[in-house]
Amino acid sequence: MIPFNAPPVVGTEIEYMQAAIASGKLCGDGGFTRRCQQWMEQHFGSQKVLLTPSCTASLEMAALLLDIQPGDEVIMPSFTFVSTANAFVLRGAKIVFVDVRPDTMNIDETKIEAAITEKTKALVPVHYAGVACEMDTIMALAKKYNLYVVEDAAQGVMSTYKGKALGTIGHIGCFSFHETKNYTAGGEGGATLVNDPALIDRAEIIREKGTNRSQFFRGQVDKYTWRDIGSSYLMADLQAAYLWGQLEVAEQINERRLSLWSNYYDAFKALADSGRIELPTIPADCRQNAHMFYIKLRNVEDRTRFISYLKEAEIMAVFHYIPLHICPAGEQFGVFRGEDRYTSKESDRLVRLPLFYNMTEITQRTVINTILSYFA
């Protein structure tokens, strides 16, 4: 079976993990953690980067940092992973879903303002497939209504919007280093990017179980104490060692994925031109990271036949999110404002093709030829 995904392996991970073991420092904030954080701060231009166990943890950390309270409203797309909503539901917030754009599957920035009320506390754009949301409009709305912006950039590491790294534009950004992402910390992992300097000190405290332990280790206080609410949001240094191997060759991984993405696009352009499928759209202001390659079929029945055909050929292709607003928890904890014109319809048509760093040209050619035979 050709898998949908395989975790990236570059060859130095075991060496660095052995070095972490030899250091005697396996818990959070060891040497490899510091290397990864500094690398991201320098390469992406974030004020402060803090590694976490997952993007889910980063989102939960953001909700704590912004003092989300019961009754607050948080606006986001319905077409996203459950963690985007759960992080704020855990603090008692009501989730307000708005429609997506059919071209990028990102939140429709023109629908946000109508969903804002006096209870709105934050906007959470999700950069689907590593393609940026229209952040200028979103940040302007946040400024107009005095709202926070938390970028769910789980899929957006190495992508940019008008030259700015995704995750560094809002007040807080959240990365994922899960094994399904372009870069992984050995299976799980994430990072919180704190872009508002006023939030940095408290972010460190929340991440360290509510203590000022980070200040203690920097020699800023003579002992650390319980200062605030928080939790254990540190990535193990053993995982950071695995991640460091990948960040060292981040551009190499990025270029390889972009090459595979372009191969798919070129192979299927004729099908798109004939109206049989739709291909992804990359806006002019966006530089993507080839996190995924998807196509859109005519309808859900067409997609089901397509997935079954590939499965018989031992190729794993998968659809993506069930819109949160039609899920039981989404109905309980959220509301859809405005018309669901595209979210449900477009999610029913979308299917993702195998794409991973260690994918060979022969493997990809097999996938392409099988897909072309389906449409023939």
Side-chain angles (χ1 to χ4, degrees), residues 307-354:
I307 291 173
S308 296
Y309 184 90
L310 293 188
K311 188 175 182 181
E312 288 177 10
E314 298 190 324
I315 297 169
M316 181 63 69
V318 295
F319 55 84
H320 214 177
Y321 311 123
I322 304 299
L324 296 185
H325 75 283
I326 63 173
C327 297
E331 293 174 349
Q332 180 180 354
F333 300 118
V335 62
F336 197 103
R337 292 226 173 104
E339 180 188 358
D340 174 9
R341 185 177 178 186
Y342 294 115
T343 300
S344 295
K345 183 178 76 171
E346 298 300 311
S347 67
D348 278 346
R349 302 199 297 133
L350 187 147
V351 59
R352 299 176 291 160
L353 306 183

Side-chain angles (χ1 to χ4, degrees), residues 14-65:
I14 292 176
E15 175 190 343
Y16 290 144
M17 292 173 78
Q18 287 175 333
I21 292 169
S23 75
K25 176 72 173 177
L26 296 182
C27 62
D29 283 344
F32 284 103
T33 297
R34 289 193 293 274
R35 284 189 214 179
C36 291
Q37 291 177 168
Q38 289 169 2
W39 188 94
M40 285 187 272
E41 287 167 1
Q42 292 166 5
H43 280 73
F44 301 140
S46 176
Q47 291 282 330
K48 187 71 174 179
V49 175
L50 299 167
L51 289 187
T52 62
S54 64
C55 190
T56 298
S58 289
L59 288 161
E60 291 177 8
M61 189 175 154
L64 285 169
L65 189 53

Side-chain angles (χ1 to χ4, degrees), residues 218-282:
R218 288 197 295 265
Q220 293 171 295
V221 293
D222 59 359
K223 58 181 179 293
Y224 70 88
T225 57
W226 184 18
R227 314 290 292 188
D228 201 342
I229 59 172
S231 191
S232 184
Y233 290 131
L234 280 72
M235 177 190 288
D237 211 54
L238 193 63
Q239 290 179 278
Y242 191 107
L243 178 61
W244 178 245
Q246 311 230 319
L247 293 183
E248 275 193 319
V249 292
E251 284 293 345
Q252 175 183 314
I253 293 173
N254 199 46
E255 291 305 316
R256 175 59 182 157
R257 293 186 70 103
L258 286 167
S259 176
L260 292 166
W261 193 97
S262 295
N263 290 344
Y264 276 142
Y265 193 94
D266 293 343
F268 303 136
K269 191 173 186 308
L271 284 171
D273 291 343
S274 69
R276 187 62 186 86
I277 64 172
E278 288 183 26
L279 295 176
T281 297
I282 312 297

Side-chain angles (χ1 to χ4, degrees), residues 124-161:
V124 186
V126 179
H127 302 300
Y128 186 70
V131 177
C133 298
E134 186 50 59
M135 291 305 294
D136 281 355
T137 302
I138 291 169
M139 295 307 295
L141 285 170
K143 184 176 181 180
K144 179 179 179 180
Y145 292 98
N146 194 29
L147 305 174
Y148 287 109
V149 174
V150 177
E151 291 178 77
D152 185 336
Q155 302 171 5
V157 181
M158 297 291 282
S159 294
T160 62
Y161 170 79

Side-chain angles (χ1 to χ4, degrees), residues 57-323:
S58 289
L59 288 161
E60 291 177 8
M61 189 175 154
L64 285 169
L65 189 53
L66 299 184
D67 281 323
I68 299 298
Q69 299 291 326
D72 287 342
E73 293 183 354
V74 178
I75 297 174
M76 66 183 64
S78 174
F79 190 69
T80 185
F81 190 56
V82 295
S83 295
T84 315
N86 260 337
F88 300 95
V89 170
L90 283 167
R91 307 307 305 158
K94 178 180 182 180
I95 307 303
V96 176
F97 301 113
V98 298
D99 209 7
V100 296
R101 295 168 41 156
D103 58 347
T104 61
M105 299 302 289
N106 285 333
I107 191 168
D108 188 335
E109 69 280 359
T110 68
K111 307 297 184 188
I112 294 173
E113 189 164 20
I116 295 173
T117 71
E118 69 280 355
K119 295 180 180 179
T120 306
K121 187 74 172 284
L123 309 177
V124 186
V126 179
H127 302 300
Y128 186 70
V131 177
C133 298
E134 186 50 59
M135 291 305 294
D136 281 355
T137 302
I138 291 169
M139 295 307 295
L141 285 170
K143 184 176 181 180
K144 179 179 179 180
Y145 292 98
N146 194 29
L147 305 174
Y148 287 109
V149 174
V150 177
E151 291 178 77
D152 185 336
Q155 302 171 5
V157 181
M158 297 291 282
S159 294
T160 62
Y161 170 79
K162 296 187 176 180
K164 295 180 180 179
L166 300 192
T168 69
I169 304 166
H171 300 87
I172 302 171
C174 301
F175 282 166
S176 173
F177 297 113
H178 186 268
E179 68 172 35
T180 56
K181 302 304 188 291
N182 296 25
Y183 311 92
T184 181
E188 297 280 353
T192 304
L193 286 69
V194 188
N195 307 311
D196 182 346
L199 299 174
I200 291 175
D201 287 347
R202 187 161 184 255
E204 288 189 328
I205 289 170
I206 287 172
R207 178 171 171 265
E208 275 280 15
K209 303 98 175 164
T211 74
N212 58 346
R213 187 168 177 264
S214 294
Q215 293 177 343
F216 170 72
F217 280 115
R218 288 197 295 265
Q220 293 171 295
V221 293
D222 59 359
K223 58 181 179 293
Y224 70 88
T225 57
W226 184 18
R227 314 290 292 188
D228 201 342
I229 59 172
S231 191
S232 184
Y233 290 131
L234 280 72
M235 177 190 288
D237 211 54
L238 193 63
Q239 290 179 278
Y242 191 107
L243 178 61
W244 178 245
Q246 311 230 319
L247 293 183
E248 275 193 319
V249 292
E251 284 293 345
Q252 175 183 314
I253 293 173
N254 199 46
E255 291 305 316
R256 175 59 182 157
R257 293 186 70 103
L258 286 167
S259 176
L260 292 166
W261 193 97
S262 295
N263 290 344
Y264 276 142
Y265 193 94
D266 293 343
F268 303 136
K269 191 173 186 308
L271 284 171
D273 291 343
S274 69
R276 187 62 186 86
I277 64 172
E278 288 183 26
L279 295 176
T281 297
I282 312 297
D285 291 329
C286 302
R287 178 175 175 267
Q288 62 132 348
N289 62 356
H291 171 63
M292 74 172 76
F293 192 93
Y294 63 82
I295 61 175
K296 290 181 182 177
L297 284 297
R298 287 173 174 164
N299 49 46
V300 68
E301 292 80 17
D302 192 13
R303 184 181 71 179
T304 300
R305 285 191 297 269
F306 176 80
I307 291 173
S308 296
Y309 184 90
L310 293 188
K311 188 175 182 181
E312 288 177 10
E314 298 190 324
I315 297 169
M316 181 63 69
V318 295
F319 55 84
H320 214 177
Y321 311 123
I322 304 299

